[in-house]
Amino acid sequence: MEISTLATYHCLAFVWYFFVAYSILHIRTEERPSEVFLYGGQWKYLTVLNLVLQAVFYGVSFLADVLRLIKKLRCAKCVISSRDLLFSVLAFPVSTFVSISFWALYTYNRELVYPKSLDGVIPLWLNHAMHTAVLPFAVLEILATPHRYPAKKKGLILLGFVAFLYISWVLWIYSVTGEWVYPLFALFSPAGLAAFFAGSLAVIVSFYNFGEFFNRMIWGQSKFCF
């Protein structure tokens, strides 16, 4: 894909994610069900955090494209390294996990992850923007441009660390409020919850590995250009 076309795509994707994140973060207080958005606001939901993550990623990607267009290659190289690390470790595996896990649980029992009371608060288009569109965006990004993945050990350590931070945030919220971020968690014993978190981590690691494999299948091991 030409750099100018890529820059246009990344700019539009950034604007889209900024708009979606703005829309969910500015739902009027009086419209929120009493059991939702209390302690921690929307920042306790992985879906919302992922929207911000994607906006940051596409913003960095657009910056890298602009630097390449104006021939600031030394600066572009640094920004592209950050872009690739952000995409490989977080943007692809998290967006894939959010989409697939949400719709799997929603199909099984929506009350476990997305209570029906939210239908009157969050429009259908916004639900799909948060939970559906993120997956094709992630796949399209791999098809649009090659990304260099870090050494496997480094990538998995960074991914595991971020997962640990989010799990710690979820547990902290429960310790303060006595309520789980997602009703699903209330179904588990402490041991069961630990197993669920471990299983979720294994799933997101598999998405990391799939992203690396898919990127290599499309672009080869080392194809990269300025």
Side-chain angles (χ1 to χ4, degrees):
M1 187 179 291
E2 294 292 332
I3 299 177
S4 57
T5 304
L6 196 61
T8 301
Y9 164 67
H10 283 148
C11 181
L12 291 175
F14 167 74
V15 171
W16 166 251
Y17 273 114
F18 183 87
F19 169 70
V20 174
Y22 179 88
S23 297
I24 192 64
L25 291 173
H26 286 79
I27 293 176
R28 289 180 296 180
T29 304
E30 61 270 20
E31 293 181 343
R32 302 171 184 174
S34 59
E35 73 274 16
V36 180
F37 305 143
L38 296 178
Y39 186 87
Q42 293 99 316
W43 299 108
K44 60 178 171 284
Y45 298 107
L46 185 60
T47 295
V48 176
L49 295 174
N50 180 56
L51 292 176
V52 176
L53 167 65
Q54 300 303 320
V56 170
F57 165 71
Y58 282 106
V60 172
S61 297
F62 177 61
L63 175 60
D65 297 334
V66 170
L67 290 173
R68 292 169 69 189
L69 283 170
I70 63 176
K71 307 300 182 182
K72 299 290 186 179
L73 299 185
R74 182 174 297 180
C75 294
K77 186 175 182 179
C78 179
V79 175
I80 287 172
S81 295
S82 299
R83 179 203 69 182
D84 288 348
L85 186 65
L86 190 60
F87 179 78
S88 60
V89 174
L90 294 177
F92 183 85
V94 173
S95 60
T96 305
F97 178 81
V98 164
S99 183
I100 293 178
S101 63
F102 174 83
W103 287 114
L105 291 169
Y106 185 98
T107 302
Y108 173 71
N109 182 355
R110 66 169 297 176
E111 295 298 319
L112 297 177
V113 290
Y114 194 83
K116 195 172 180 60
S117 58
L118 289 177
D119 287 346
V121 179
I122 300 176
L124 181 62
W125 74 265
L126 187 53
N127 181 22
H128 282 292
M130 294 188 297
H131 299 115
T132 307
V134 293
L135 182 54
F137 264 108
V139 173
L140 182 58
E141 176 63 23
I142 288 183
L143 296 174
T145 187
H147 297 83
R148 279 183 174 168
Y149 273 65
K152 181 63 68 69
K153 182 178 180 180
K154 177 183 177 180
L156 293 181
I157 287 175
L158 289 174
L159 178 59
F161 178 70
V162 173
F164 172 78
L165 289 179
Y166 180 69
I167 292 172
S168 298
W169 174 226
V170 168
L171 294 176
W172 171 258
I173 291 172
Y174 178 75
S175 71
V176 172
T177 66
E179 299 289 337
W180 288 109
V181 171
Y182 297 102
L184 168 69
F185 297 160
L187 301 179
F188 296 104
S189 66
L193 190 61
F196 177 82
F197 285 147
S200 297
L201 180 59
V203 170
I204 201 169
V205 166
S206 71
F207 292 147
Y208 172 94
N209 288 328
F210 174 76
E212 184 179 31
F213 167 78
F214 189 35
N215 182 79
R216 185 171 62 248
M217 183 179 67
I218 299 298
W219 298 104
Q221 184 67 37
S222 60
K223 183 177 179 180
F224 193 83
C225 63
F226 287 102

